[in-house]
Structure formats: C-alpha cells, structure tokens
C-alpha cells in the first residue's frame, strides 16, 4: 500500500531498509555514547548531547528535503490540494519522529547513567522532544531557502555551529555574564543543554520547570509562526 501523506512517506522510507535504520540508530550512539559513559565534566556531556540533537535535527531534515527537491518530489507535492501549513507540519513532524528514534538510545543511556530526579527527568524529555522539533523545522526552512545539496550542507554547518555557540554548548554559560545569558535565552537549545546539565547534578542556570516551560513555549511559538508563514516559506525554487 502506497503512503498517502508525507508523514507516512517519511516513516515508510525510514523502515524500508533494516541496514539503513541500524546505521541511523548507531550513528548518534557511537558519537555520544562514549562521552556519556566516560563522565567528563557535566558541561561537556550536556553540550555534546545538545549539539548532537541540533546536528541530527538540522542535517537530517535539510539534506533529505534538498534531495527531494533535486528529484522534483517537492515540486509535485506542492501541486496537491493540501494547504502549505499542513504540508509543512507533516514534514516537520515526520522528520522529528525519525530524529527522535535516532536519538532515543542516546537519551536512554544518558538517563540510565545519571538517573536524574523526576523534575529534571521531565525537563530532559520535554527538552529533547521540543529541541528536536525545532532543529527539524530549521532544517526544512533551510532546505526550502537555498539551492543545491552543496549549499545546504554549507549553510547547515554554519547554522548548527552558530546556534551551538549562541546556546553555550561549547562553553559554559555564567550567571555573571548577563548579556551572554540574555542572548542565549533566545535559543531553544540553551534550555536543553541546561536541562541536561541539571540532570547530571551540574550547576544549571535554570531550574527544571523554567527549562521545560521556556523551551516548550519557544518551540511552540516558532512552529506557529512557521505554519502561518508556510505559503511563503514553501515557495521552493525550481
């Protein structure tokens, strides 16, 4: 039976090849697993896991959509009677589901390794889902704005490292640097990193409730704006 929605299409392609699925699951685990198990300073582990979420989400959706654009799939999809908002929501949610599947072993090892209290556990789970959703949305928007797979890889790398730096994933945020914290609050990945840091027992700047609510609201707001602007965002160039 052929898939009738973008959601079904993305999931069908993911589970079509067991070898490809195994590689997708092993890749994040191979990168983050040794870091988590080795127990470096808490800020290093939190930054590494948050960076992996950002990397997988942006590159996973951007590269896949760029390939579909090159093959003419998205141009045909845009001719269907479905609204741009529905098309955008389906592709973002489908990519987020696939990315969460890839990242689930990493989060499982992290939570088993550090066994956080319930508030921090909830903050990590909410943060992981919301941050993955935002990363996937950024990847979709990036792929719809630039041409060619080479450009997508270049701009995705720039976006990922810029957001990582902004969010304090490469260096710990310090409360005394008020301007740095204020800028970092604009990034959803800041809250994920702080939730992971708190779950390890490290000196998180934000509490579990602050991290979960701020990330959830920021993510919902970004997705809402993207859905409202979908008719313009999805005007893919030939």
């Amino acid at each position: 039976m052929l898939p009738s929605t973008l959601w079904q299409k993305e999931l069908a392609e993911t589970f079509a090849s067991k070898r490809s699925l195994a590689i997708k699951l092993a890749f994040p685990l191979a990168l983050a697993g040794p870091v988590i198990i080795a127990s470096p300073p808490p800020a290093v582990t939190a930054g590494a896991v948050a960076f992996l979420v950002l990397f997988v989400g942006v590159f996973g959706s951007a590269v896949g959509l760029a390939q579909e654009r090159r093959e003419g799939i998205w141009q045909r999809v845009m001719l269907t009677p479905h609204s741009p908002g529905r098309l955008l929501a389906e592709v973002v949610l489908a990519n987020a589901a696939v990315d969460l599947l890839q990242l689930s072993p990493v989060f499982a090892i992290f939570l088993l390794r550090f066994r956080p209290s319930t508030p921090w556990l909830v903050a990590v789970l909410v943060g992981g889902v919301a941050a993955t959703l935002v990363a996937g949305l950024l990847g979709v928007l990036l792929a719809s704005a630039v041409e060619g797979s080479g450009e997508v890889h270049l701009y995705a790398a720039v976006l990922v490292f810029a957001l990582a730096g902004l969010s304090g994933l490469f260096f710990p945020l310090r409360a005394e640097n008020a301007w740095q914290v204020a800028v970092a609050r604009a990034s959803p990945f800041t809250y994920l990193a702080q939730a992971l840091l708190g779950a390890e027992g490290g000196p998180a700047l934000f509490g579990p409730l602050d991290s979960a609510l701020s990330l959830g609201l920021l993510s919902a707001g970004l997705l809402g704006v993207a859905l409202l602007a979908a008719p313009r965002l999805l005007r893919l160039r030939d």
Side-chain angles (χ1 to χ4, degrees):
M1 182 176 178
L2 294 175
S4 59
T5 65
L6 288 175
W7 172 270
Q8 293 175 355
K9 170 184 170 297
E10 294 293 333
L11 295 183
E13 290 178 352
T14 299
F15 290 97
S17 170
K18 293 182 179 180
R19 179 176 179 274
S20 176
L21 179 60
I23 292 174
K24 287 182 178 180
L25 292 173
F27 171 70
L29 189 59
L31 292 178
V35 177
I36 297 171
I37 295 172
S39 295
V44 174
T45 305
V49 174
F51 181 82
L52 185 64
V53 171
L54 174 58
F55 180 90
V56 169
V58 171
F59 272 89
S61 57
V63 174
L65 180 54
Q67 181 178 353
E68 292 180 352
R69 283 187 58 191
R70 187 170 61 252
E71 296 172 353
I73 295 175
W74 257 93
Q75 284 75 6
R76 295 194 294 272
V77 167
M78 291 301 293
L79 297 176
T80 64
H82 299 307
S83 68
R86 173 178 170 175
L87 293 175
L88 179 63
E90 282 190 10
V91 72
V92 169
L93 291 174
N95 276 288
V98 173
D99 293 339
L100 282 171
L101 177 64
Q102 285 186 262
L103 294 165
S104 57
V106 173
F107 280 105
I109 289 180
F110 179 90
L111 295 174
L112 289 172
R113 173 69 181 80
F114 296 105
R115 300 185 181 277
S117 61
T118 301
W120 284 117
L121 172 63
V122 172
V124 169
L125 294 178
V126 171
V129 172
T132 302
L133 187 66
V134 171
L137 173 61
L138 293 175
V140 170
L141 300 183
L142 178 64
S144 68
V146 300
E147 297 228 19
S149 58
E151 286 187 43
V152 168
H153 282 85
L154 174 61
Y155 288 117
V158 172
L159 177 62
V160 165
F161 280 92
L163 281 174
L166 176 69
S167 307
L169 306 188
F170 297 143
F171 48 83
L173 296 174
R174 303 186 184 281
E176 57 267 23
N177 294 334
W179 67 269
Q180 185 186 45
V181 175
V183 171
R185 272 190 171 274
S187 169
F189 305 98
T190 300
Y191 301 101
L192 174 59
Q194 292 300 308
L196 292 165
L197 184 59
E200 294 180 73
L205 290 181
F206 317 129
L209 182 61
D210 186 1
S211 296
L213 284 179
S214 297
L215 182 48
L217 292 174
L218 188 56
S219 303
L222 290 173
L223 183 59
V225 171
L227 292 178
L228 291 174
R232 295 181 62 87
L233 294 172
L234 293 184
R235 283 180 183 172
L236 303 180
R237 291 173 289 180
D238 296 330

